[in-house]
Amino acid sequence: SQELEQSPQSLIVQEGKNLTINCTSSKTLYGLYWYKQKYGEGLIFLMMLQKGGEEKSHEKITAKLDEKKQQSSLHITASQPSHAGIYLCGADGTGTASKLTFGTGTRLQVTL
Amino acid sequence: GAGVSQSPSNKVTEKGKDVELRCDPISGHTALYWYRQSLGQGLEFLIYFQGNSAPDKSGLPSDRFSAERTGGSVSTLTIQRTQQEDSAVYLCASSPGGPYSPLHFGNGTRLTVT
């Protein structure tokens, strides 16, 4: 079965600083999804990557998928308190989005 | 528009009791998923419905767990004879179906078994 490893497990950054979260898969990915979760809430979809070398940006968040489609990174520029939460990557190992496998998440705290 | 709705948001039950968790997906979404999120754990896949196809039940942890989806819309996850290890947040998601369709999650039902 497909396994995803996220690093770091937790991160504390000062407001305004940049940060990167990594997601590594044990198998080639058909699609890689990034989500954000706040305590007591569901997961909010951020971005989906499917092509090797693909990069997408939304506001101050950029996600990349490597050429081999086994590793993705999520980069936040000039972090803000609103970026705090748990970031999860989800992998589609079949190309059908029928059973996404999720990493254990990265907990981000942004201090003032 | 309306997102995925789950009810109840919180449920406390005694060990051995049965519980039903409800999920109202986004209108028009053909795919529906149930996941479980335990404290300190990642999301664990439980079951997947797609249209009229037979559901993928491969993630259900035991025969005490079952789910159905009526009329291709609302879904109910039932846990019989609840155990303390069933305590978790149960998340439902729906998607338009097909490859590369992002899942849209509800806020979950927090189940506590005492």
Side-chain angles (χ1 to χ4, degrees):
Chain A
S1 62
Q2 186 143 34
E3 292 188 2
L4 288 180
E5 186 173 322
Q6 282 187 241
S7 64
Q9 291 185 334
S10 64
L11 196 53
I12 301 174
V13 298
Q14 193 174 26
E15 183 178 6
K17 299 293 186 183
N18 303 336
L19 64 107
T20 300
I21 298 169
N22 293 301
C23 175
T24 303
S25 170
S26 59
K27 299 182 180 180
T28 299
L29 301 163
Y30 284 89
L32 189 287
Y33 300 73
W34 282 101
Y35 285 85
K36 179 185 175 184
Q37 184 179 30
K38 292 204 165 186
Y39 180 76
E41 299 179 12
L43 279 67
I44 305 298
F45 172 71
L46 297 175
M47 277 173 278
M48 191 274 286
L49 306 164
Q50 62 182 91
K51 298 177 182 177
E54 187 174 12
E55 179 176 322
K56 287 186 177 178
S57 293
H58 177 68
E59 296 180 344
K60 294 184 178 181
I61 300 177
T62 300
K64 301 178 185 179
L65 184 62
D66 75 337
E67 290 290 343
K68 293 184 179 180
K69 297 174 66 176
Q70 283 194 259
Q71 186 168 38
S72 178
S73 61
L74 187 81
H75 184 76
I76 299 177
T77 303
S79 58
Q80 300 170 356
S82 60
H83 288 130
I86 300 173
Y87 290 82
L88 296 110
C89 59
D92 177 6
T94 64
T96 63
S98 61
K99 190 189 302 184
L100 297 193
T101 302
F102 285 87
T104 53
T106 295
R107 183 179 297 274
L108 172 64
Q109 294 181 56
V110 180
T111 61
L112 297 175
Chain B
V4 176
S5 177
Q6 291 189 245
S7 60
S9 55
N10 282 284
K11 177 72 177 179
V12 180
T13 189
E14 291 181 354
K15 178 181 173 181
K17 301 286 188 182
D18 297 351
V19 294
E20 286 189 351
L21 312 180
R22 177 186 169 103
C23 174
D24 280 278
I26 293 172
S27 178
H29 280 192
T30 59
L32 187 146
Y33 312 72
W34 283 99
Y35 282 84
R36 178 168 71 174
Q37 187 174 36
S38 304
L39 190 62
Q41 304 290 320
L43 269 71
E44 176 187 4
F45 168 81
L46 297 178
I47 189 169
Y48 162 70
F49 296 90
Q50 171 56 54
N52 295 320
S53 302
D56 178 350
K57 304 179 181 181
S58 60
L60 294 178
S62 77
D63 58 7
R64 296 187 294 104
F65 288 72
S66 63
E68 58 180 30
R69 188 179 186 190
T70 53
S73 180
V74 172
S75 177
T76 302
L77 177 69
T78 301
I79 308 174
Q80 295 178 313
R81 305 181 301 282
T82 52
Q83 303 294 313
Q84 287 188 331
E85 60 263 28
D86 298 335
S87 296
V89 175
Y90 289 82
L91 292 162
C92 175
S94 70
S95 82
Y100 313 120
S101 297
L103 279 62
H104 299 264
F105 284 83
N107 286 339
T109 293
R110 182 175 298 276
L111 175 66
T112 303
V113 182
T114 61

